[in-house]
Amino acid sequence: KAGVTQTPRYLIKTRGQQVTLSCSPISGHRSVSWYQQTPGQGLQFLFEYFSETQRNKGNFPGRFSGRQFSNSRSEMNVSTLELGDSALYLCASSLVQRGAHGYTFGSGTRLTVV
Amino acid sequence: DQQVKQNSPSLSVQEGRISILNCDYTNSMFDYFLWYKKYPAEGPTFLISISSIKDKNEDGRFTVFLNKSAKHLSLHIVPSQPGDSAVYFCAASGNNAGNMLTFGGGTRLMVKP
């Protein structure tokens, strides 16, 4: 079966711009979570959506937002980009509400802010 | 405040020997622990997990041990193979946190032929 698909794979943006990243979960998976990976901070939780509702949110500023559609696809948006937002953004999907063992990650979107 | 810590940023092991990766946590609400393996330019891949009601879980060459009183878990890989060379992350989840995982900083394992 197809895995978690994240688009685009690479992105270069300028400070002050906004960006939208997309994630298509594994078919049938209803939970989608987003993580930011940076060399200094490691993997940090951004937010989780389940059945179009945000269930958890990490400690990130309001410039980071997301949403989930009825087909479980998810997008995350970062407005007013800062240099520190340069990171690998990872999406993970799961079948059930507490399915951490069945958590499948995509390959990520590498965002570079210049 | 790092709730999950991997104090060794790197580990080098000879092929065929045992690799032991360690992880400490501080949050008593964590009740589910996982190990992920990550290659460059790829997302993390799930390896093995353990619930807090157990102290050991084994899957092939991989075994995870949990010491709740010490808030410590470890991943044993026996025997280590060159293909195991990657960054390993431990992660923890709490019962009221849905699918939110708190990750450690990772340990880079290098298995030398």
Side-chain angles (χ1 to χ4, degrees):
Chain A
K1 59 181 178 182
V4 178
T5 304
Q6 290 188 246
T7 55
R9 286 296 307 273
Y10 302 93
L11 205 49
I12 300 176
K13 288 285 189 178
T14 305
R15 269 182 305 175
Q17 286 187 312
Q18 68 94 26
V19 66
T20 299
L21 311 181
S22 179
C23 172
S24 293
I26 290 174
S27 178
H29 283 198
R30 295 166 63 192
S31 168
V32 174
S33 299
W34 289 88
Y35 289 82
Q36 180 197 65
Q37 185 185 18
T38 58
Q41 298 294 321
L43 273 153
Q44 291 193 290
F45 174 79
L46 279 156
F47 25 65
E48 182 205 354
Y49 288 87
F50 186 85
S51 295
E52 302 179 65
T53 301
Q54 186 182 88
R55 291 202 304 165
N56 282 297
K57 190 176 193 303
N59 190 25
F60 279 82
R63 300 185 296 108
F64 291 81
S65 63
R67 59 178 176 169
Q68 186 179 32
F69 301 96
S70 58
N71 61 357
S72 294
R73 190 177 72 85
S74 177
E75 288 181 348
M76 69 161 280
N77 184 278
V78 188
S79 62
T80 321
L81 283 165
E82 300 177 359
L83 295 178
D85 296 333
S86 295
L88 179 67
Y89 289 88
L90 291 160
C91 166
S93 76
S94 175
L95 182 61
V96 296
Q97 277 193 322
R98 184 98 192 278
H101 59 285
Y103 223 23
T104 304
F105 281 86
S107 296
T109 294
R110 171 73 62 184
L111 171 65
T112 303
V113 182
V114 298
Chain B
D1 171 30
Q2 270 190 294
Q3 298 186 65
V4 179
K5 284 186 184 179
Q6 293 175 255
N7 290 318
S8 298
S10 65
L11 174 67
S12 183
V13 169
Q14 204 67 36
E15 181 179 6
R17 307 295 288 265
I18 184 172
S19 295
I20 300 176
L21 296 96
N22 294 303
C23 180
D24 297 296
Y25 63 97
T26 57
N27 191 337
S28 301
M29 300 301 292
F30 289 147
D31 65 349
Y32 201 78
F33 304 90
L34 308 92
W35 284 93
Y36 283 84
K37 175 180 175 180
K38 188 178 185 300
Y39 294 115
E42 293 183 13
T45 303
F46 169 74
L47 273 177
I48 192 168
S49 64
I50 188 166
S51 163
S52 60
I53 63 173
K54 295 186 175 182
D55 53 20
K56 177 183 172 182
N57 189 25
E58 195 171 351
D59 184 1
R61 296 187 298 115
F62 301 92
T63 303
V64 57
F65 295 92
L66 175 63
N67 183 333
K68 287 187 291 295
S69 60
K71 293 190 175 68
H72 177 85
L73 63 153
S74 60
L75 175 68
H76 292 209
I77 306 173
V78 183
S80 301
Q81 300 172 355
D84 295 329
S85 297
V87 178
Y88 289 77
F89 291 94
C90 69
S93 169
N95 189 35
N96 61 348
N99 276 321
M100 183 177 85
L101 296 178
T102 302
F103 282 86
T107 296
R108 181 175 301 280
L109 173 66
M110 293 163 283
V111 180
K112 298 178 181 177

